[in-house]
Amino acid sequence: MVIKLDGGLSTALENNGNKLTTSLWTGELIRSAPSEITKAHLDFINAGSQIIITSSYQLSYLGCSKRGWSKSETDEALHTSIQLAKDAANKSGKDVMVAASVGPYGAALADGSEYKGNYGVSKSLLKDFHARRLEVLISTSPDLLALETMPDLSLIHISEPT
């Protein structure tokens, strides 16, 4: 079975005239131009995507705090990223799944290290880094989680559901 996944949300947004110049990339548009994200999602759906990935890749409490966002503002942006994708899916009238994007620790550092992994931090720190964000994203009931750009798989431990 072939399932068509969207791809390149940042590129799609830039092609539509948006400037992604901050360390939060598409995450910044959640607050400044949410309709642009919905439009990009709809473009992917209209091109045949059966799964759309949310604009939450760069959203983390560490990364957002560096941009002056509070924890509650980050929570709200995480919720909104899911809602924008769900709104696009509903508006399309097509059977589309929403995958909540979870970027790596290195994305919060905004130094390109997300492509290398091996951040020199403990597994405990990485677990804490992802925990609240995952809780918030999961609470919004996405169809899937997209754990993106995880170059060091030794740091990932996924338990089977019981």
Side-chain angles (χ1 to χ4, degrees):
M1 171 176 16
V2 174
I3 298 175
K4 297 176 186 170
L5 176 70
D6 74 359
L9 182 58
S10 294
T11 301
L13 288 164
E14 287 177 328
N15 288 344
N16 287 340
N18 296 284
K19 304 290 183 217
L20 306 178
T21 58
T22 77
S23 59
L24 297 181
W25 300 355
T26 62
E28 197 76 54
L29 292 181
I30 290 170
R31 291 172 56 172
S32 64
S35 64
E36 289 294 312
I37 294 171
T38 302
K39 180 186 180 317
H41 286 318
L42 280 167
D43 289 345
F44 281 123
I45 294 167
N46 291 330
S49 293
Q50 296 163 294
I51 300 172
I52 54 174
I53 302 174
T54 65
S55 53
S56 53
Y57 177 93
Q58 287 294 124
L59 297 180
S60 69
Y61 296 94
L62 174 61
C64 290
S65 70
K66 289 179 180 180
R67 297 281 307 145
W69 296 19
S70 68
K71 286 182 181 179
S72 64
E73 288 171 322
T74 304
D75 287 343
E76 184 178 333
L78 289 165
H79 280 276
T80 301
S81 72
I82 300 290
Q83 195 57 55
L84 292 171
K86 286 182 177 183
D87 289 349
N90 290 335
K91 187 181 275 189
S92 76
K94 298 179 182 176
D95 187 19
V96 178
M97 291 187 284
V98 171
S101 177
V102 181
Y105 177 76
L109 303 177
D111 62 1
S113 64
E114 69 263 34
Y115 304 113
K116 300 175 196 122
N118 299 319
Y119 306 115
V121 297
S122 70
K123 286 183 183 183
S124 176
L125 185 141
L126 292 174
K127 180 181 173 184
D128 291 344
F129 172 81
H130 288 293
R132 180 173 175 175
R133 174 170 55 158
L134 282 167
E135 270 182 38
V136 170
L137 289 170
I138 290 167
S139 77
T140 66
S141 301
D143 299 301
L144 306 162
L145 291 176
L147 305 177
E148 299 191 70
T149 320
M150 303 289 178
D152 186 354
L153 295 179
S154 70
L155 297 175
I156 299 173
H157 174 75
I158 299 175
S159 300
E160 291 295 318
T162 56

